[in-house]
Amino acid sequence: MNTRVLDDGSEQYVTKGGVTISRKRREVPYENAISSYIDKLDERRGAVLSSNYEYPGRYTRWDTAVADPPVGISCNGRTMWVEAYNGRGEVILEMIAERLATIADIKIDARAARRLDFTIQKPSRIFMEEERSKMPTVFTALRAITDLFHSEEDASLGLYGAFGYDLAFQFDAIDLKLERPADQRDMVLYLPDEILVVDNYSAKAWVDRYDFEKDGETTKGKPWDIPAEPFRPTDTIPARGDHHPGEYAKLVTKAKESFRRGDLFEVVPGQKFMERCDSKPSQISRRLKEINPSPYSFFINLGNQEYLVGASPEMFVRVTGRRIETCPISGTIKRGEDAIADSEQILKLLNSKKDESELTMCSDVDRNDKSRVCEPGSVKVIGRRQIEMYSRLIHTVDHIEGRLREDMDAFDGFLSHAWAVTVTGAPKLWAMRFIEAHEKSPRAWYGGAIGMVGFNGDMNTGLTLRTVRIKDGIAEVRAGATLLNDSNPEEEEAETELKASAMIAAIRDAKAGNTGKAGRDVAKVGVGVKILLVDHEDSFVHTLANYFRQTGATVTTVRSPVADEVFDSVNPDLLVLSPGPGSPKDFDCETTIKKARARKLPIFGVCLGLQALAQAYGGELRQLAIPMHGKPSRVRVLEAGTVFSGLAKEVTVGRYHSIFADPATLDRDFIITAESEDGTIMGIEHAKEPVAAVQFHPESIMTLGQDAGMRMIENVVAHLAKRAKVKAA
């Protein structure tokens, strides 16, 4: 460690380029740490990078945010400029200008206190494939800047922002057919002097503030102030997009001609959808994060009334030390209506040879990209066709890693993958030519990357997918589909619309004010209700108790048998009989039920609880030919009654039982409210007493679809416990 602690508690270290950096940390509240930065970015440059989707061993625990950075780095083609946004930025800009002036491939065009303009010279010689990532590009300047500030003493300080699609053409030149707008920027990166870091594992957050000093010039004491630029909506109503319905399907047919000729193996063209942006970008960001959790969630204010709001599912390139990794995504299917339908869709996706071929080609190209810059033999597939599930889609994903050669850095890895085969196709260069020739508008940021380039040599970037680009008050959403020779044109067009739908929904929901958390809030119908939950030594009783507590009820759990003094001390409004092993007689359930009925208590039975109630009222139990342990079933609702009020006529539920109530012996005052497809009783309700039961587990993950399990618990509390409580009063 080369960091020393100063008297004021700050830490100080010297970078490779001779810059002295002082860092001072202050802790901030973990709750809402990121949220406060989201509000700032409506009118201030900066970036919020966060992850609210985790796959074991893949994504990061860290969220980061920067606002009001002192310096920004931008480019259009080979023309670059560095801007200082305040007095502190002027000091940093001077350091950068001196460094860039020493690079032979950089021509300084203009230099002022708050702006440096320069051009990257075109290559003057032929570069072999193995070294082509070293050829002069805008990354030549980025390498020089990161070298100036390089230090292994800090993992957070670096460049934050976005890389546009057209950057790839500095590395792989093609003839551009589409006209680019004059104000297009191919890259916007910020060098911050204050960084929020959130550790979601330890639930801690802090802000690191930096000062920079070199050759007697320092940022200390220089002005921080940067003028705000509030978001400006527009009155313009845009077209639906850059394609008419049916046009994308025709493009699929066109691509199949290329497949048959052998020009392409696969290609990923997209289409653009547009909406007027009547809400603040922060509102869209919040809504998108809520309805579409993702490993690469981002909100970036690029300045000049341009914003990126995204929920990308795909890592682009991540470099940690010398390890480089990517996670190609290809193979897509729509989510089912519930968990059981999801599982059926997953099987369909995994059994699809077309989707398997899509991902195979993507991963083979990805391995080729790494082989250009990695040590021989180090490129490995460490995860194959893994399932990732998002708000509306299910994907298959590979996970590929390699080890960078000693003469390669993170930028080499980044350039060799630009851009991912999952947004271009294969062979990659031919696919990019096809896209340029057949898409109807330039991609801008779509298909590029967002993320952070660390001054310690690390890099963490996500593909710019599932992204809303807001420019001058118009929101743009671009989505593509991976086309193969056996693609169905209409299905591929539908896939692009499905992929875009979550982003479009976020825009419209934000406009309508639907910015609350995603999903349905649990109704607080149990406030003031006391529940006595009888535990029959079950493995799921505490999840069941948790469901009841979510309604606001107070739950007391006690093992069977239940003593009179427990009834007296708890004084419950509802008795719940839990599931359990064995039979009701193993727990003397009949005695518990008699005590409850003597007190005129409402009773709700779950699984074993239903069997106990059926038996206590004179019914008999039978044994299933095949036990239903951990098995889902579609249940037909015969009578909505108390438990199934407001639910669909068919519900998927989770079953754990081998005993069932014989309908022929059931007390005549019991109404059968639900049954399985084979006629097994799944629900009963007493016609005269406040008694109901189900033969399945409402708290099981198999009963999550349509939020059915929780809605059943709400019904029990609202219509069984609370009604009886009111009647008694």
Side-chain angles (χ1 to χ4, degrees):
M1 293 288 289
N2 297 314
T3 300
R4 63 191 186 99
V5 180
L6 304 183
D7 292 340
D8 64 356
S10 63
E11 296 176 311
Q12 192 176 84
Y13 61 90
V14 179
T15 73
K16 182 179 178 181
V19 179
T20 299
I21 294 182
S22 302
R23 176 184 63 209
K24 192 162 188 177
R25 177 169 297 179
R26 73 175 190 274
E27 292 190 2
V28 296
Y30 172 75
E31 297 294 334
N32 300 317
I34 285 289
S35 181
S36 64
Y37 276 74
I38 291 175
D39 292 330
K40 292 179 184 179
L41 297 194
D42 279 327
E43 57 184 30
R44 299 191 175 277
R45 293 180 183 89
V48 172
L49 307 175
S50 60
S51 176
N52 57 344
Y53 179 100
E54 183 58 276
Y55 190 101
R58 180 172 296 167
Y59 300 119
T60 178
R61 78 195 215 187
W62 306 99
D63 294 342
T64 54
V66 300
D68 279 334
V71 172
I73 304 167
S74 306
C75 79
N76 182 321
R78 290 180 170 269
T79 300
M80 294 189 71
W81 59 97
V82 182
E83 295 174 277
Y85 303 128
N86 59 13
R88 294 170 60 81
E90 290 180 22
V91 176
I92 299 170
L93 176 58
E94 181 65 23
M95 299 176 190
I96 293 173
E98 289 182 4
R99 179 69 178 92
L100 295 182
T102 67
I103 307 300
D105 292 317
I106 293 178
K107 176 180 174 291
I108 304 298
D109 299 315
R111 184 169 172 177
R114 290 211 168 183
R115 181 167 171 132
L116 175 70
D117 291 87
F118 54 98
T119 304
I120 308 298
Q121 306 282 47
K122 291 185 177 180
S124 59
R125 65 176 179 87
I126 295 174
F127 282 76
M128 300 298 118
E129 283 300 301
E130 290 78 6
E131 61 171 350
R132 199 145 58 86
S133 57
K134 304 291 188 185
M135 67 193 297
T137 65
V138 296
F139 291 87
T140 303
L142 296 184
R143 276 195 174 97
I145 293 168
T146 56
D147 190 62
L148 172 66
F149 295 104
H150 176 79
S151 172
E152 296 182 1
E153 302 298 311
D154 195 300
S156 300
L157 191 59
L159 303 175
Y160 292 77
F163 301 86
Y165 179 79
D166 282 3
L167 285 176
F169 304 138
Q170 297 188 29
F171 183 70
D172 277 318
I174 68 170
D175 292 331
L176 300 183
K177 308 289 187 183
L178 296 166
E179 183 179 352
R180 270 63 176 173
D183 64 347
Q184 175 173 301
R185 292 173 292 171
D186 299 333
M187 179 178 70
V188 174
L189 297 176
Y190 295 127
L191 198 169
D193 55 1
E194 187 173 277
I195 303 172
L196 169 71
V197 180
V198 180
D199 183 347
N200 292 309
Y201 284 10
S202 63
K204 292 182 179 179
W206 60 86
V207 171
D208 284 333
R209 177 172 283 194
Y210 299 86
D211 274 301
F212 303 80
E213 183 178 350
K214 189 175 188 294
D215 300 331
E217 293 296 321
T218 179
T219 57
K220 290 180 180 178
K222 296 294 191 296
W224 287 80
D225 295 344
I226 299 175
E229 183 188 357
F231 168 70
R232 296 193 298 269
T234 181
D235 294 329
T236 301
I237 299 176
R240 171 185 181 268
D242 63 358
H243 284 65
H244 297 298
E247 277 193 294
Y248 189 89
K250 292 179 181 177
L251 177 57
V252 178
T253 303
K254 185 77 174 175
K256 294 175 87 163
E257 296 174 9
S258 295
F259 298 143
R260 286 191 289 272
R261 284 196 304 269
D263 295 345
L264 296 171
F265 306 141
E266 65 179 6
V267 68
V268 193
Q271 63 169 313
K272 181 173 70 174
F273 304 87
M274 293 189 288
E275 295 269 331
R276 186 169 69 181
C277 188
D278 294 318
S279 307
K280 291 181 178 180
S282 61
Q283 294 173 302
I284 297 173
S285 174
R286 282 196 169 89
R287 187 57 182 162
L288 183 58
K289 192 170 182 178
E290 288 153 0
I291 67 174
N292 196 31
S294 69
Y296 286 90
S297 174
F298 57 92
F299 175 26
I300 306 174
N301 181 337
L302 299 166
N304 301 346
Q305 290 296 306
E306 188 172 15
Y307 304 78
L308 295 178
V309 179
S312 176
E314 185 167 348
M315 179 190 298
F316 177 52
V317 170
R318 183 162 71 187
V319 176
T320 309
R322 306 216 61 78
R323 181 182 189 240
I324 181 171
E325 59 181 318
T326 53
C327 296
I329 292 178
S330 199
T332 302
I333 199 167
K334 185 178 179 181
R335 289 286 301 265
E337 292 183 356
D338 52 42
I340 305 308
D342 275 343
S343 70
E344 293 168 354
Q345 291 290 85
I346 290 169
L347 288 174
K348 192 183 298 182
L349 178 59
L350 290 176
N351 285 320
S352 167
K353 292 302 179 184
K354 172 189 175 291
D355 289 293
E356 183 179 6
S357 294
E358 281 185 22
L359 186 57
T360 296
M361 283 191 268
C362 288
S363 293
D364 273 345
V365 175
D366 186 281
R367 291 166 64 235
N368 179 73
D369 294 338
K370 285 185 179 59
S371 295
R372 190 201 301 257
V373 295
C374 287
E375 294 176 354
S378 70
V379 178
K380 301 182 185 304
V381 178
I382 59 176
R384 174 62 174 162
R385 298 199 80 199
Q386 297 171 317
I387 292 293
E388 288 189 5
M389 301 176 68
Y390 294 93
S391 62
R392 304 184 183 206
L393 300 168
I394 304 171
H395 294 301
T396 45
V397 185
D398 282 355
H399 192 182
I400 304 172
E401 69 171 4
R403 182 165 294 277
L404 290 171
R405 301 200 314 261
E406 286 297 328
D407 60 333
M408 295 292 172
D409 60 17
F411 289 118
D412 293 303
F414 186 97
L415 280 168
S416 70
H417 288 78
W419 288 113
V421 62
T422 52
V423 293
T424 54
K428 190 185 292 187
L429 193 53
W430 285 55
M432 288 195 287
R433 290 184 183 126
F434 181 91
I435 288 168
E436 181 68 20
H438 293 92
E439 285 190 339
K440 297 209 168 179
S441 56
R443 288 190 164 191
W445 303 103
Y446 174 82
I450 53 84
M452 180 261 193
V453 178
F455 289 153
N456 67 344
D458 291 348
M459 173 186 286
N460 191 6
T461 56
L463 266 177
T464 312
L465 300 173
R466 315 287 159 83
T467 298
V468 181
R469 178 203 183 201
I470 303 166
K471 175 64 174 165
D472 296 327
I474 301 296
E476 302 174 357
V477 175
R478 191 179 290 265
T482 302
L483 310 184
L484 277 71
N485 188 54
D486 51 356
S487 288
N488 178 290
E490 288 72 27
E491 289 179 1
E492 300 292 7
E493 179 166 331
E495 182 176 316
T496 65
E497 293 174 351
L498 180 61
K499 285 177 176 176
S501 64
M503 274 61 67
I504 293 171
I507 298 165
R508 294 174 178 174
D509 285 354
K511 177 181 177 180
N514 299 329
T515 55
K517 71 177 184 179
R520 188 185 63 89
D521 286 328
V522 175
K524 298 300 181 183
V525 293
V527 175
V529 173
K530 292 176 289 185
I531 295 173
L532 180 59
L533 174 56
V534 183
D535 176 11
H536 300 125
E537 300 177 6
D538 183 55
S539 296
F540 312 116
V541 67
H542 297 295
T543 304
L544 185 62
N546 177 283
Y547 271 43
F548 279 105
R549 289 190 180 104
Q550 288 181 57
T551 70
T554 300
V555 180
T556 302
T557 307
V558 63
R559 288 276 176 91
S560 178
V562 185
D564 287 327
E565 63 191 68
V566 172
F567 278 104
D568 295 337
S569 62
V570 175
N571 189 26
D573 302 303
L574 172 68
L575 179 74
V576 177
L577 301 173
S578 86
S583 70
K585 290 182 179 178
D586 293 322
F587 302 96
D588 193 14
C589 292
E590 191 169 348
T591 300
T592 301
I593 293 168
K594 280 183 180 178
K595 290 179 180 180
R597 292 181 71 190
R599 290 169 167 78
K600 297 183 179 180
L601 280 178
I603 306 172
F604 177 59
V606 178
C607 200
L608 181 85
L610 181 146
Q611 299 158 19
L613 285 165
Q615 199 170 51
Y617 281 79
E620 297 180 8
L621 305 179
R622 301 283 183 262
Q623 190 167 308
L624 291 169
I626 301 174
M628 296 295 289
H629 296 159
K631 302 287 181 68
S633 283
R634 296 293 283 183
V635 168
R636 292 191 292 266
V637 177
L638 306 177
E639 295 281 344
T642 294
V643 177
F644 299 100
S645 177
L647 272 73
K649 289 296 183 182
E650 283 200 1
V651 182
T652 299
V653 302
R655 295 168 64 181
Y656 289 89
H657 69 106
S658 55
I659 299 172
F660 67 98
D662 183 352
T665 64
L666 199 63
D667 184 281
R668 64 182 182 179
D669 284 328
F670 271 123
I671 301 165
I672 299 175
T673 54
E675 65 179 15
S676 66
E677 292 174 339
D678 62 3
T680 303
I681 290 176
M682 287 288 110
I684 58 174
E685 187 169 336
H686 202 278
K688 299 176 181 177
E689 299 178 29
V691 174
V694 293
Q695 184 54 71
F696 52 84
H697 287 239
E699 82 289 352
S700 169
I701 61 172
M702 294 176 283
T703 321
L704 286 175
Q706 305 172 44
D707 203 19
M710 192 67 241
R711 291 169 67 183
M712 293 175 199
I713 298 301
E714 289 174 3
N715 285 337
V716 169
V717 174
H719 302 304
L720 201 63
K722 209 158 189 179
R723 186 189 300 166
K725 183 181 172 86
V726 171
K727 192 179 291 185

